């Protein structure tokens, strides 16, 4: 039986991975979360699926973190806990370098010390920065990494710590996932209606689909498009949106993958892009709700286009997306928001 520590397991992505671990495997699960953005309600919902251990702790508490690793024989760490808001990272870089890079470095150090053999790390497409000459098939894992914001850099530095550590510790392996734009909520149907049990609960959301879903259910009156003068087909930013349950599935696969394969890095995206305008239209169409949209200046740290090449994760890990459908992503985000 696997014994897995999930840091940030009360958060948006972490909780969907925990959900799948509890539902689909007999893995022993321990969640470590400081609940700064993670949700207590989500933790209770997950308890309805099956028992797991919860430890409320901030990763900056190095001594306590060491005790957790010393007292449990984890074979795998899936590390989500991080700060993730790009504009905030531009304004407060040290928060990102401390919370993301420094705390991840300590966690890796403890993982090696206490014989954790597998480390699965949430990295980001933001490590690619502002891609120049995007290849026709999207950005692959060998594309140059030049982050244009401290969030991306804090993740890139963590990647490097992981890679260098694994080079000199034979029994320590990693999978790094570079997420593109994660969205949507738990695919769960009741009476043929989407009824997500968990979703994105982060207050003061900054993510496009979350904000559009808040507008669709009238929690917000209007929203802004940040920049319509980018070098894209309609002038608004283009991103590769991946459904949260497909992303979570990749993490479940990664645990087994590392039993038989070497450390590796995988993009997680669908390999196609939608503009901000297209996403907003899709939210309106798929929910049959209208709302006001204004054009505002560009947001700090935003590249024009980010689209993955996902050939590697499909061929090497055998990952097959199930929810590659922007309207389903929008509908599930809306159903969660409107619950
Ligand atoms: C960023 C990171 C991504 C990371 C995520 C975590 C980059 C390039 N990407 O995603 O890797 O996983 O944060 O938080 O740094 N937009 C609007 N109006 C809004 C909100 C967003 O127009 O109200 C636009 C943005 O300008 C952007 C697109 O929508 O063009 C997507 O933005 P968002 O959902 O915030 O994600 P990213 O910033 O792309």
């Amino acid at each position: 039986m696997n014994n897995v520590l999930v840091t940030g397991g009360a958060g948006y992505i972490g909780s969907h991975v925990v959900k799948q671990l509890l539902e689909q495997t007999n893995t022993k699960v321990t969640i470590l979360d400081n609940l700064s953005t993670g949700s207590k309600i989500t933790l209770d919902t997950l308890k309805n699926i099956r028992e797991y251990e919860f430890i409320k702790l901030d990763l900056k508490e190095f001594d306590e973190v060491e005790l957790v690793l010393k007292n449990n024989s984890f074979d795998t760490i899936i590390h989500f806990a991080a700060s993730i808001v790009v504009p905030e990272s531009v304004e407060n870089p040290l928060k990102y370098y401390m919370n993301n890079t420094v705390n991840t470095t300590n966690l890796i150090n403890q993982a090696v010390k206490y014989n954790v053999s597998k480390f699965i790390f949430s990295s980001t497409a933001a490590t690619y920065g502002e891609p120049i000459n995007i290849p026709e098939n999207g950005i692959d894992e060998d594309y140059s990494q030049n982050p244009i914001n401290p969030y991306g850099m804090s993740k890139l530095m963590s990647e490097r710590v992981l890679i260098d550590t694994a080079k000199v510790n034979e029994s320590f392996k990693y999978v790094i996932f570079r997420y593109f734009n994660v969205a949507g909520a738990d695919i769960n149907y009741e009476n043929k209606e989407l009824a997500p049990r968990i979703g994105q609960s982060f207050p003061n959301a900054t993510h496009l689909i979350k904000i559009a879903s808040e507008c669709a259910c009238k929690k917000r009156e209007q929203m802004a498009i940040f920049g319509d003068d980018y070098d894209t087909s309609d002038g608004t930013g283009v991103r590769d949106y991946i459904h949260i349950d497909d992303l979570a599935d990749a993490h479940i696969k990664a645990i087994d993958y590392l039993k038989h394969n070497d450390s590796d890095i995988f993009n997680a995206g669908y390999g196609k892009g939608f503009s901000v305008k297209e996403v907003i239209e899709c939210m309106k169409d798929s929910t049959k709700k209208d709302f006001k949209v204004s054009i505002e200046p560009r947001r700090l740290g935003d590249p024009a286009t980010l689209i993955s090449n996902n050939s590697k994760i499909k061929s090497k890990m055998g990952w097959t997306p199930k929810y590659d459908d922007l309207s389903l992503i929008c509908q599930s985000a809306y159903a969660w928001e409107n619950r």
Side-chain angles (χ1 to χ4, degrees), residues 83-315:
S83 302
I84 60 155
V85 180
V86 171
E88 182 191 49
S89 81
V90 178
E91 277 149 26
N92 191 356
L94 279 174
K95 175 173 174 182
Y96 282 71
Y97 292 119
M98 294 302 288
N99 193 29
N100 295 357
T101 315
V102 173
N103 294 349
T104 298
T105 302
N106 178 61
L107 186 65
I108 294 168
N109 185 31
Q110 299 303 337
V112 170
K113 188 166 172 188
Y114 293 103
N115 303 315
V116 176
S117 57
K118 299 183 278 299
F119 198 100
I120 299 167
F121 178 58
S122 305
S123 189
T124 167
T127 59
Y128 295 117
E130 175 79 83
I132 303 160
N133 301 328
I134 302 174
E136 207 176 301
N137 298 327
I139 298 165
D140 68 19
E141 291 80 357
D142 296 327
Y143 197 87
S144 59
Q145 289 177 289
N146 295 302
I148 57 168
N149 51 59
Y151 166 66
M153 186 53 99
S154 72
K155 289 285 188 174
L156 178 58
M157 288 161 85
S158 306
E159 283 192 8
R160 190 58 194 256
V161 175
L162 206 43
I163 292 166
D164 288 344
T165 303
K167 271 185 200 155
V168 291
N169 290 279
E170 237 176 68
S171 57
F172 179 76
K173 295 200 281 190
Y174 64 81
V175 159
I176 292 171
F177 285 116
R178 295 192 187 130
Y179 305 158
F180 283 68
N181 286 62
V182 190
D186 175 33
I187 297 289
N188 176 52
Y189 289 94
E190 276 170 20
N191 306 321
K192 297 194 180 155
E193 292 279 318
L194 270 172
R197 295 160 293 178
I198 54 176
Q200 205 169 355
S201 304
F202 194 47
N204 309 320
T206 58
H207 290 105
L208 177 65
I209 291 186
K210 168 89 174 160
I211 287 177
S213 68
E214 287 174 357
C215 288
C217 66
K218 306 275 175 258
K219 286 186 183 170
R220 271 176 203 256
E221 275 190 7
Q222 53 178 306
M223 64 176 294
I225 293 175
F226 298 133
D228 66 349
D229 56 352
Y230 285 103
D231 185 14
T232 60
S233 58
D234 64 16
T236 67
V238 171
R239 296 288 185 275
D240 180 345
Y241 295 90
I242 170 174
H243 190 278
I244 180 79
D245 271 338
D246 275 334
L247 180 70
D249 175 55
H251 292 73
I252 310 296
K253 288 207 160 48
I255 300 174
D256 274 343
Y257 180 87
L258 279 180
K259 287 181 188 158
H260 313 289
N261 296 280
D262 289 336
S263 299
D264 217 332
I265 301 175
F266 297 95
N267 282 339
Y270 288 151
K272 59 180 166 223
F274 293 95
S275 73
V276 176
K277 277 187 180 162
E278 286 172 329
V279 169
I280 294 174
E281 279 317 304
C282 183
M283 181 61 79
K284 289 180 175 178
D285 286 352
S286 59
T287 61
K288 313 237 171 334
K289 306 281 176 201
D290 199 13
F291 47 87
K292 261 203 268 174
V293 180
S294 60
I295 307 287
E296 302 288 337
R298 292 181 181 196
R299 193 173 66 173
L300 283 178
D302 273 351
T305 301
L306 272 178
I307 301 172
S308 70
N309 177 324
N310 62 8
S311 311
K312 187 173 171 185
I313 187 171
K314 283 179 163 169
S315 61

